């Protein structure tokens, strides 16, 4: 297990983590910040200059790989004091940990803004030392923390630290961990070991907007669907996924809109991505949608332009061509998001 201590920069996560080592038997401090300097030394200058190491996808992947490697050597839990204020990074990292069957206990250390600012001011003499960050960086991140509080509070178990020392906070965190507070139920989706065939289903409302879902285990929004199982017809796989993810049973086999060959990009293997036309959902049926909590946190209908701000670029290109195919009553063959053939 990994106990993730989240919170604003300067909230006392690291000092609390050290106190926790004496309270949780077998625990080990796992501070992914130490991965940053070595990674920066190997990256090209234009990538290594990122102000925040969290912006580096390689760092986020190394974090999960490092946790798995460390847990092969120590009993755990791992205590990880890292601020994680962007939900898409949370999804990517926690999803990668779940794929490696590493449970996550997410704990938010929170105190009133005035006290937090006092703590940061008291650290001003060494803030940013050894991190490559300029003095005052922690204060500049406070608006980002306030903006993240709504989803952080919903996702993590909150421990109020106002007026408490690190030892007292650690006692509260240890009690919460033992009680199972903050334990996240994230679907364990193993990373592919070969090319995959995946089927997505587009569902529409009466205004022609497409239904998108928000996974808890990877960044960005997605279409309902998933990997086709061995021996399973792709269209039936899409129907199964719609039933499992949304609680909706499609009455008829959906029509194929496009096939897109996704180019392998290490560490990914790529494969074939199919999109089907699942037809229109009435408002009453949409109101009956039931999401699996460990897999999806939300859904919405979106126009094509709205989807551009929700879907990763590769999925949005796929959606654009699927909508064109639907308008024309045809099926398109794509390679890496570009139509080929007649």
């Amino acid at each position: 297990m990994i106990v993730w201590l989240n919170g604003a920069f300067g909230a006392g996560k690291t000092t609390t983590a050290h106190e926790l080592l004496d309270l949780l038997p077998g625990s080990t401090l796992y501070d992914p910040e130490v991965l940053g300097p070595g990674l920066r030394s190997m990256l090209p200058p234009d990538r290594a200059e990122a102000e925040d190491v969290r912006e580096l996808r390689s760092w986020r992947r190394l974090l999960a790989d490092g946790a798995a490697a460390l847990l092969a050597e120590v009993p755990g839990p791992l205590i990880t004091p890292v601020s994680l204020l962007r939900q898409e990074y949370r999804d990517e990292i926690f999803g990668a940990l779940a794929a490696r069957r590493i449970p996550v206990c997410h704990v938010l250390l929170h105190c009133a803004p005035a006290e937090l600012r006092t703590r940061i001011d008291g650290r001003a003499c060494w803030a940013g030392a050894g991190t490559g960050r300029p003095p005052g960086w922690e204060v500049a991140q406070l608006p980002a923390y306030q903006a993240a509080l709504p989803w952080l509070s919903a996702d993590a178990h909150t421990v109020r630290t106002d007026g408490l020392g690190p030892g007292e906070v650690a006692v509260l965190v240890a009690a919460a961990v033992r009680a199972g507070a903050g334990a996240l139920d994230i679907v364990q989706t193993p990373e592919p070991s070969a090319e995959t065939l995946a089927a997505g289903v587009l569902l529409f409302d009466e205004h022609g907007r497409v239904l998108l879902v928000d996974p808890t285990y990877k960044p960005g929004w997605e279409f309902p669907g998933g990997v086709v199982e061995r021996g399973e017809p792709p269209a039936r796989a899409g129907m199964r996924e719609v039933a499992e993810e949304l609680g909706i049973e499609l009455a008829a086999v959906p029509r194929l809109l496009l096939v897109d060959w996704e180019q392998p990009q290490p560490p990914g293997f790529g494969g074939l991505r199919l999109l089907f036309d699942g037809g229109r959902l009435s408002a009453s049926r949409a109101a009956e949608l039931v999401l699996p909590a460990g897999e999806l946190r939300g859904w919405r209908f979106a126009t094509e332009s709205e989807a551009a701000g929700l879907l990763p670029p590769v999925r949005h290109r796929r959606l654009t061509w699927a909508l064109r195919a639907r308008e024309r009553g045809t099926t398109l063959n794509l390679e890496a998001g570009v139509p080929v053939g007649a």
Side-chain angles (χ1 to χ4, degrees):
M1 181 175 71
I2 186 167
V3 178
W4 193 288
L5 299 183
N6 209 340
F9 296 92
K13 299 180 296 297
T14 300
T15 51
T16 299
H18 282 282
E19 296 286 344
L20 270 176
L21 296 176
D22 295 326
L23 300 176
L24 297 177
S27 59
T28 298
L29 180 66
Y30 177 45
D31 188 354
E33 291 281 0
V34 302
L35 302 174
L39 185 59
R40 289 181 189 274
S41 70
M42 292 180 281
L43 287 171
D46 61 328
R47 296 293 297 145
E49 290 175 358
E51 184 179 74
D52 187 354
V53 72
R54 294 158 188 77
E55 298 172 11
L56 302 176
R57 186 178 181 184
S58 50
W59 180 86
R60 300 194 296 273
R61 181 173 180 85
L62 276 175
L63 192 157
D65 289 341
L70 192 54
L71 283 172
E73 304 287 345
V74 299
L78 304 182
I79 313 299
T80 302
V82 176
S83 291
L84 200 56
L85 306 184
R86 292 181 58 172
Q87 194 171 37
E88 62 267 33
Y89 291 171
R90 173 266 185 220
D91 293 348
E92 182 178 349
I93 294 171
F94 288 5
L97 291 169
R100 291 156 178 78
R101 297 195 295 179
I102 301 174
V104 178
C105 181
H106 193 192
V107 179
L108 173 65
L109 304 186
H110 179 72
C111 65
E115 180 167 340
L116 182 60
R117 179 61 183 263
T118 299
R119 293 181 185 181
I120 293 175
D121 290 343
R123 296 164 45 137
C125 60
W126 57 271
T131 66
R133 301 168 184 154
W137 188 84
E138 292 170 322
V139 174
Q141 301 306 306
L142 289 180
Y145 173 67
Q146 293 297 325
L149 263 180
W151 75 260
L152 278 174
S153 301
D155 195 68
H157 172 73
T158 301
V159 173
R160 295 288 310 216
T161 66
D162 305 77
L164 301 179
E168 296 170 299
V169 175
V171 169
L172 296 177
V173 173
V177 171
R178 295 190 193 101
L184 299 181
D185 179 22
I186 305 175
V187 62
Q188 295 182 349
T189 304
E191 292 192 340
S193 56
E195 291 186 351
T196 54
L197 173 63
V201 179
L202 302 185
L203 299 165
F204 302 87
D205 68 1
E206 61 270 21
H207 305 293
R209 297 178 301 175
V210 66
L211 188 144
L212 303 178
V213 293
D214 185 10
T216 62
Y217 59 94
K218 62 181 177 180
W221 289 63
E222 180 62 283
F223 317 112
V227 174
V228 179
E229 297 178 357
R230 184 181 295 274
E232 186 178 27
R236 300 286 181 177
M239 298 175 70
R240 171 182 55 77
E241 290 284 350
V242 167
E244 293 175 355
E245 295 182 355
L246 305 177
I248 296 291
E249 299 284 347
L250 297 180
V253 176
R255 185 177 74 83
L256 179 64
L257 293 174
L258 64 76
V259 178
D260 187 12
W261 173 76
E262 187 171 288
Q263 183 177 0
Q265 292 185 340
F269 289 89
L272 289 179
R273 309 292 177 248
L274 281 62
L275 282 182
F276 294 89
D277 184 355
R280 186 175 70 87
L281 280 183
S282 65
S284 59
R285 290 192 77 192
E288 298 172 353
L289 296 184
V290 179
L291 304 181
E295 186 173 356
L296 302 174
R297 69 164 59 88
W299 65 273
R300 61 168 292 181
F301 286 108
T303 64
E304 184 177 348
S305 60
E306 289 171 340
L310 300 170
L311 294 169
V314 63
R315 292 178 210 156
H316 186 253
R317 287 195 299 271
R318 202 169 289 148
L319 172 64
T320 295
W321 286 113
L323 294 178
R324 301 295 85 77
R326 187 172 190 256
E327 293 168 356
R328 302 166 188 169
T330 188
T331 301
L332 293 177
N333 180 30
L334 279 60
E335 292 182 0
V338 178
V340 295

